[in-house]
Amino acid sequence: FLTEQPSSFYFFDALSLLDDRLHISLGLRHDDIEQQYRDANGENRTATASQWTRRAGFVYKLRPELHVY
């Protein structure tokens, strides 16, 4: 690669419900990347990519010492 310029940002939130027995975690991430490279013919090229990624997690407390996720 001649140059590579990645950038990303991430959002996260956590919620507690049902008297703090249910925990929900939500995340959202966005990535951008731009790469400049030289192809087989020696010409400079630019490639770009962009992607959103989602995440969710759940934890339920059956008892104080027993959690299910």
Side-chain angles (χ1 to χ4, degrees), residues 4-50:
E4 183 175 273
Q5 297 178 341
S7 68
S8 62
F9 53 89
Y10 186 75
F11 299 102
F12 177 81
D13 198 5
L15 307 168
S16 294
L17 306 167
L18 303 175
D19 293 327
D20 205 32
R21 293 183 73 160
L22 177 63
H23 292 250
I24 302 171
S25 301
L26 303 171
L28 182 65
R29 177 179 168 160
H30 185 264
D31 293 295
D32 282 318
I33 189 163
E34 180 178 300
Q35 296 176 330
Q36 294 180 350
Y37 64 96
R38 190 166 288 128
D39 68 10
N41 297 323
E43 296 182 34
N44 290 346
R45 302 283 184 182
T46 301
T48 60
S50 179

Side-chain angles (χ1 to χ4, degrees), residues 48-66:
T48 60
S50 179
Q51 182 176 12
W52 287 96
T53 307
R54 299 172 304 275
R55 294 285 184 262
F58 302 91
V59 176
Y60 187 75
K61 296 179 183 179
L62 297 172
R63 289 182 273 165
E65 70 281 356
L66 181 61

